[in-house]
Amino acid sequence: MSDRIENVLHENRRFPPSDAFRADARLSSEDGYARMHRESIEDPESFWGRVAGELPWIQPFDKVLDWSEAPRAKWFVGGKINASAVCLDQHLESIRSGKRAIVWEGEPGDTRTLTYTELHTEVCRFANILKSRGIKKGDRVAIYMPMIPELAMAVLACARIGAIHSVVFGGFSAQALSDRIEDGECCAVITADGGWRRGKILELKKEVDAGVAGKDYVHTVLVVRRTENDVDWDHERDIWYHEALLKVDAECPPEPMDSEDVLFLLYTSGSTGKPKGIVHSTAGYLVGAYMTTQFVFDLQDEDVYWCTADVGWITGHSYIVYGPLANGATCVMYEGAPNTPHPGRFWEIVQRHEVSVFYTAPTAIRAFMKWGDEHVEKHDLSSLRLLGTVGESINPEAWMWYHQKIGGERCPIVDTWWQTETGSIAITPLPGVTTTKPGSATRPFFGIDAAVLDEDGNELGANEGGLLAIRKPWPSMLRGIWGDEERFRETYWSKWPGYYFPGDGARKDEDGYLWILGRVDDVINVSGHRLSTMEVESALVSHESVVEAAVVGRPDDLTGQAIVAFVTPAAGISASDELLRALSEHVSTEIGKLARPAEVRFTDALPKTRSGKIMRRLLRDIAAGVETVQDTSTIEDYAVLAKLRNYDD
Ligand code: 7RM
């Protein structure tokens, strides 16, 4: 049987960067990109050695790459560096010392601004609190916090003393937190009394109390006061941050860390069973985050940069904390929901802080489309000059809306493909160079040798859908799965010898542009035709009556699998047989009869992870009518699941 994924969607629109954008861009010529990319692949040691040389080293490295123990890469061997010093100390002696590092807005409307000098001081004091509790280099510290400045400080304070941080998204349950604390054997948890979400208090301390119950090895719970709700207190274990602050000074030299020392763990849910603690190194990770931030977001000193992700997700690690701060950028950080107190909250923030670079997820863009253009049009978005997306393929309809309504048709859009495992952006347009095509993440970043292969490792031809592969090591690649070497090798390195397997399907078009087809576990096989769920979804969403769609396969005696589509109709449109027929017809014209759903289920919401990814595995079980055995701990809204399950009732 063929393992190819059929290519069904065609997109002919092209968007070259404007002359105005190119005039000031860091990189503005195709030749420049081609030359740099070629060097990064052919001579990675000199390329990355030069980039790494821009960071402040405590002790220089003597070798750029050691791949002799593949898949265990060692980058910048022999060097010593500290991530918090890269993000903070290096700016103190420059014109950036008084520059705003973090411009924060709480959901209730309170604000706080920290300059690089101020953030440095806060991080040093924070680090001294950790030290005063005996926390030291190599210890694991769980961080479970709302999106407040202290979250960034906690991350950087751990990095400063060489403790390994493990950020757990503040919306996760006590159980999810408990599993992650246990897997990493964390000795401390940094949290807050609560955080604001949609006008309500998320009681984080309560979850922590449940999550650490019975774990004697957790000797410290450090609590930041945010929402002032009542909390239970263990006088041995718990300490208030604001009280501890009074007892420490602001002098804390950064711990010299070996390039390959672990900087952090971050858990991702695997396709089965227990979440994987992805391990990232210090220097390689920083070099990746630093360089991608600079080139993908074309960062200039005047920019006000806003990434809307949560720090509990890799996007927040790389593009709220490490990447932007290593570059001395001004970063906006927002605590709350995008529609609190009104659906225009994000645009109000863009206007107020004159955001120039804005990075969000397709799922958020589709929500804005659904809420209506009037909430966008009320605000002045003329400060924006560059837009980005991440998390899943962006359907061309959402891309065009983003381009027109948010970007005012003047901002390039960078559709960035990457993973927790890649550490930093791997496939992306460069905004001053790349002519974009809506829905394509375009071309590999420097150092990324991306190819589309079949199961046997043969490279496929133009427009043949297959498996995405990365054929060379890159600095910010994962260094392992915490405590599970076997799973690390099996999951990522066993498909083809020496090549990294990300688990995504892709095709390369005639211009060498990459189109990500979604997770290969999500591919549907109808009568021997392998279809990407993403493409069928994209066809559905291109119908005017649809805002969102998720497509899965259910077993079918005749065709192997049959397509089931879960569809959210646009505002004011209700489910009807007529709509059903119209959608079937639409998919038929867009893709072909073959891709017509056997069943369409209308729903007002889809089950998603907290980072906005549709949980197709759950939908697959629902479509097949079986009880789910999947890990549901990362689901955003259980009510959605319950509703879908009771569909037939
Ligand atoms: C950053 C992040 C990784 C998975 C990845 C893909 C999907 C991410 C895009 C995308 C198409 C994109 N890390 N993905 N970005 N698919 N186009 N621009 O999302 O570890 O949480 O997820 O997300 O399937 O493998 S993650």
Side-chain angles (χ1 to χ4, degrees):
M1 191 199 76
S2 154
D3 47 31
R4 314 263 162 105
I5 304 171
E6 297 191 19
N7 156 223
V8 291
L9 280 188
H10 301 280
E11 170 58 62
N12 298 315
R13 287 167 288 199
R14 302 283 179 276
F15 297 87
S18 68
D19 291 340
F21 189 92
R22 290 183 49 218
D24 298 320
R26 275 180 180 270
L27 199 63
S28 58
S29 81
E30 273 292 339
D31 278 358
Y33 164 75
R35 202 167 353 98
M36 283 172 78
H37 191 262
R38 196 173 330 111
E39 193 209 345
S40 73
I41 299 299
E42 288 171 3
D43 190 0
E45 298 215 29
S46 84
F47 183 89
W48 289 113
R50 217 170 40 239
V51 177
E54 293 173 19
L55 297 183
W57 290 84
I58 298 168
Q59 178 183 300
F61 49 90
D62 10 78
K63 182 158 180 47
V64 174
L65 169 65
D66 178 356
W67 188 230
S68 63
E69 288 164 44
R72 266 279 155 97
K74 293 198 195 85
W75 283 90
F76 313 112
V77 183
K80 293 215 185 294
I81 196 163
N82 180 283
S84 93
V86 170
C87 292
L88 302 169
D89 304 43
Q90 70 160 324
H91 305 307
L92 301 187
E93 301 305 317
S94 78
I95 48 155
R96 293 185 180 133
S97 62
K99 183 177 171 176
R100 295 173 304 167
I102 294 180
V103 176
W104 174 81
E105 208 171 295
E107 192 182 81
D110 44 344
T111 59
R112 186 174 177 193
T113 298
L114 291 131
T115 65
Y116 274 93
T117 301
E118 289 163 344
L119 184 59
H120 174 263
T121 305
E122 295 305 321
V123 168
C124 288
R125 295 165 78 193
F126 209 123
N128 282 334
I129 297 175
L130 301 181
K131 274 189 184 168
S132 74
R133 299 293 288 192
I135 299 168
K136 56 180 192 314
K137 180 173 173 173
D139 288 349
R140 274 82 56 210
V141 174
I143 300 178
Y144 181 70
M145 288 176 84
M147 281 281 288
I148 56 179
E150 288 82 356
L151 168 51
M153 291 173 201
V155 163
L156 292 167
C158 287
R160 196 159 191 89
I161 64 170
I164 298 169
H165 58 77
S166 169
V167 181
V168 179
F169 175 67
F172 280 169
S173 63
Q175 186 58 50
L177 174 64
S178 164
D179 292 345
R180 285 156 179 76
I181 292 173
E182 193 171 301
D183 187 76
E185 293 174 89
C186 299
C187 68
V189 182
I190 306 173
T191 189
D193 49 358
W196 291 105
R197 192 75 191 175
R198 299 208 163 83
K200 295 204 184 73
I201 292 175
L202 217 68
E203 293 189 56
L204 296 173
K205 174 63 165 61
K206 206 186 213 167
E207 299 294 314
V208 172
D209 290 341
V212 303
K215 295 186 176 66
D216 292 340
Y217 52 89
V218 180
H219 60 65
T220 296
V221 173
L222 177 60
V223 189
V224 175
R225 196 163 62 187
R226 164 71 184 134
T227 42
E228 304 188 14
N229 45 307
D230 289 335
V231 291
D232 289 342
W233 209 252
D234 176 329
H235 291 274
E236 291 285 294
R237 187 196 67 194
D238 301 348
I239 52 168
W240 280 112
Y241 169 71
H242 63 274
E243 287 175 4
L245 264 183
L246 302 174
K247 299 178 203 141
V248 292
D249 63 31
E251 201 69 30
C252 180
E255 182 75 31
M257 301 298 285
D258 192 90
S259 289
E260 283 299 320
D261 279 339
V262 176
L263 177 59
F264 66 84
L265 308 182
L266 186 61
Y267 287 82
T268 70
S269 45
S271 51
T272 48
K274 140 173 175 227
K276 301 176 280 197
I278 302 300
V279 177
H280 278 289
S281 72
T282 301
Y285 171 79
L286 280 172
V287 168
Y290 164 76
M291 195 193 196
T292 49
T293 306
Q294 197 174 88
F295 280 86
V296 176
F297 300 113
D298 185 50
L299 269 196
Q300 317 275 347
D301 245 321
E302 319 72 68
D303 277 318
V304 176
Y305 163 93
W306 183 19
C307 164
T308 70
D310 193 286
V311 173
W313 188 29
I314 188 68
T315 304
H317 283 59
S318 303
Y319 300 109
I320 295 178
V321 182
Y322 290 111
L325 297 180
N327 281 284
T330 294
C331 306
V332 171
M333 186 175 177
Y334 169 59
E335 177 186 32
N339 54 352
T340 305
H342 58 79
R345 182 68 190 266
F346 272 18
W347 318 122
E348 182 185 289
I349 295 175
V350 167
Q351 176 176 345
R352 178 159 41 243
H353 302 294
E354 301 186 46
V355 172
S356 57
V357 179
F358 180 76
Y359 190 31
T360 196
T363 179
I365 296 168
R366 288 191 300 267
F368 300 134
M369 291 169 75
K370 185 174 167 180
W371 293 336
D373 296 355
E374 63 273 23
H375 304 290
V376 177
E377 285 154 6
K378 269 186 222 143
H379 302 280
D380 176 6
L381 305 182
S382 60
S383 56
L384 291 170
R385 66 177 196 93
L386 175 58
L387 304 174
T389 75
V390 58
E392 52 181 324
S393 293
I394 181 166
N395 49 293
E397 266 38 58
W399 197 103
M400 289 304 297
W401 184 90
Y402 199 31
H403 170 69
Q404 287 161 350
K405 302 291 170 183
I406 306 302
E409 300 187 354
R410 77 183 171 278
C411 306
I413 297 178
V414 288
D415 172 354
T416 63
W417 178 92
W418 60 295
Q419 306 177 297
T420 304
E421 294 87 339
T422 67
S424 58
I425 293 168
I427 301 173
T428 178
L430 293 178
V433 174
T434 316
T435 293
T436 51
K437 305 182 186 183
S440 171
T442 78
R443 295 180 301 201
F445 189 73
F446 306 126
I448 301 294
D449 181 13
V452 178
L453 308 179
D454 67 12
E455 290 279 346
D456 301 325
N458 305 307
E459 190 157 7
L460 296 178
N463 289 318
E464 292 185 310
L467 310 172
L468 185 63
I470 304 180
R471 296 182 292 197
K472 287 206 164 59
W474 63 102
S476 65
M477 64 198 287
L478 77 166
R479 298 301 195 268
I481 295 176
W482 185 255
D484 203 341
E485 178 73 21
E486 191 43 46
R487 194 176 181 193
F488 168 60
R489 288 173 187 268
E490 173 61 32
T491 311
Y492 305 110
W493 303 97
S494 63
K495 194 169 282 293
W496 315 284
Y499 292 0
Y500 172 77
F501 174 51
D504 281 9
R507 74 175 160 95
K508 219 184 232 187
D509 71 15
E510 56 286 352
D511 299 324
Y513 278 37
L514 288 154
W515 297 74
I516 306 298
L517 300 173
R519 307 293 300 166
V520 288
D521 321 338
D522 292 338
V523 167
I524 309 179
N525 193 325
V526 185
S527 310
H529 298 274
R530 286 167 55 84
L531 298 171
S532 140
T533 53
M534 190 282 291
E535 293 199 315
V536 184
E537 287 161 6
S538 195
L540 283 164
V541 177
S542 70
H543 190 278
E544 60 194 9
S545 301
V546 174
V547 276
E548 198 153 47
V551 160
V552 297
R554 77 156 142 65
D556 186 277
D557 290 341
L558 204 63
T559 55
Q561 281 189 310
I563 296 178
V564 179
F566 294 82
V567 167
T568 308
I573 305 280
S574 47
S576 66
D577 286 349
E578 199 188 328
L579 176 56
L580 213 154
R581 274 193 300 276
L583 291 182
S584 182
E585 188 57 32
H586 184 68
V587 172
S588 196
T589 18
E590 290 288 300
I591 300 180
K593 281 207 165 75
L594 168 82
R596 278 181 312 188
E599 189 183 337
V600 177
R601 295 188 178 192
F602 294 100
T603 166
D604 49 11
L606 293 167
K608 293 193 187 152
T609 65
R610 320 263 172 161
S611 62
K613 295 193 206 307
I614 295 168
M615 299 180 82
R616 292 189 190 75
R617 281 178 281 128
L618 281 181
L619 291 174
R620 216 145 55 203
D621 291 343
I622 291 169
V626 300
E627 202 46 48
T628 203
V629 290
Q630 309 287 347
D631 171 21
T632 54
S633 70
T634 58
I635 192 168
E636 161 80 1
D637 181 357
Y638 285 94
V640 171
L641 190 59
K643 261 197 208 158
L644 286 167
R645 282 213 178 103
N646 294 332
Y647 185 81
D648 296 324
D649 300 356

